[in-house]
Amino acid sequence: MKNTFSIAIHGGAGTLLKGQMTQEKELAYKNALQSALTEGYDVLKNGGSSIDAVEKAVIILENCPLFNAGKGSVFTAEGTHEMDAAIMEGNKLQAGAVSLITGIANPISLARNIMDKSEHVFLAGDGALEFAKINGFSLEPASYFYDELRYNQWQDLKGSDNFQLDHSVKKDSKFGTVGAVACDKYGNIAAATSTGGMTNKKWGRVGDSPMIGAGNYANNKTCAVSCTGSGEFFIRGVVAYDVSCLMEYKGMSLEAACNEVINKRILSIGGDGGLIAVDAKGNISMPFNTEGMYRACKSSIGIEEVLIYEN
Ligand code: ASP
């Protein structure tokens, strides 16, 4: 019998207050989520793999300037864009990750290439760009990544020592690390995460998103997870792997393990954010401890949701 197949995506969690967003904006976010969801789901429906589905969904979100990944990434203290991404598949535990890269339109595809074509898991900075060039990636000019709202967010912080998570309480703040998790017809699961990180970040700051086990993880025995939130806390909490461990060693269900980590463990060290997760039976969980999380999911048993706030 064929497995239930499913996909979940996110576009970041944070202080998303109803009423702070115009109906028009809300619709734009929901449409963007819907198209990434549909494209990813179609890969699964047509018999494709979970790894292809999550890469596809994340590429669509990276190409949309509404989200803090690829086009529309936040500005660093130097006025550049430094992007991070990771991808992992749960059958053989293969993974690829990239950090501190500039000029690559789709960092998630570079992470995928690192997984498929190199002997390594994690490449960063100039070396990662060298690998990208050898593997046929072209470099986009800075103007490709420019987004006016992100630029204004940076102007507020420029020259100061402050950096800002996309999850700040600031009015009009945009959230937007993106991610996808999927379970295919064959019971294989995968996770992908991509981000521009934090506005005004410096010193080569890297968050949880490209770190296997922190912001991204997949293992057929347990779950596939993509996180969004205050990266420093998600690194310290080894969040994605923690969910997997609770399932593997404590026998918890996907839902129980996700809730334990997001609503208890990460909160207890001061971390805010959320995650999306699937298991190899196609179950989905999308908990968050912030006011909202851009999220959507669809499964072959008829579930389909596109949500922003707590319901
Ligand atoms: N977790 C990301 C980071 O710390 C930010 C986010 O989720 O928006 O880089």
Side-chain angles (χ1 to χ4, degrees), residues 40-253:
Y41 184 80
D42 284 350
V43 172
L44 302 172
K45 196 175 77 187
N46 296 329
S49 66
S50 53
I51 196 84
D52 285 343
V54 294
E55 183 186 1
K56 180 87 186 222
V58 167
I59 286 173
I60 290 164
L61 296 169
E62 285 176 336
N63 291 347
C64 173
L66 290 171
F67 302 103
N68 172 22
K71 193 183 181 76
S73 284
V74 297
F75 285 82
T76 67
E78 288 77 39
T80 58
H81 305 280
E82 282 176 358
M83 297 167 289
D84 304 330
I87 194 162
M88 183 163 184
E89 62 83 37
N91 184 26
K92 296 191 179 142
L93 305 187
Q94 299 194 90
V98 69
S99 184
L100 301 172
I101 50 161
T102 312
I104 302 290
N106 296 113
I108 201 64
S109 296
L110 182 52
R112 174 83 191 261
N113 267 255
I114 292 167
M115 176 176 108
D116 289 344
K117 298 181 185 161
S118 85
E119 308 253 294
H120 308 296
V121 169
F122 202 155
L123 302 181
D126 290 344
L129 289 179
E130 191 69 39
F131 174 86
K133 276 185 221 153
I134 293 168
N135 284 280
F137 284 79
S138 53
L139 287 188
E140 301 299 331
S143 57
Y144 172 84
F145 299 92
Y146 181 87
D147 176 74
E148 198 182 344
L149 205 131
R150 300 286 184 215
Y151 183 77
N152 291 337
Q153 283 179 337
W154 175 50
Q155 294 307 301
D156 288 347
L157 297 172
K158 197 176 160 186
S160 75
D161 276 339
N162 298 333
F163 47 84
Q164 185 173 287
L165 260 180
D166 246 14
H167 310 262
S168 80
V169 203
K170 256 194 85 206
K171 192 169 159 269
D172 225 15
S173 52
K174 268 169 96 180
F175 314 94
T177 287
V178 306
V181 291
C183 173
D184 61 31
K185 288 182 178 172
Y186 322 101
N188 289 318
I189 59 178
T193 308
S194 181
T195 188
M198 299 196 316
T199 300
N200 211 39
K201 64 182 180 178
K202 57 184 177 184
W203 302 322
R205 181 266 181 190
V206 179
D208 60 313
S209 310
M211 293 186 193
I212 301 302
N216 199 79
Y217 187 70
N219 184 339
N220 279 2
K221 280 204 282 190
T222 53
C223 56
V225 179
S226 170
C227 300
T228 171
S230 42
E232 279 66 12
F233 295 90
F234 278 64
I235 294 170
R236 289 163 51 203
V238 203
V239 166
Y241 188 59
D242 203 19
V243 173
S244 173
C245 287
L246 288 173
M247 294 177 72
E248 185 168 5
Y249 305 133
K250 274 198 153 182
M252 282 189 175
S253 69

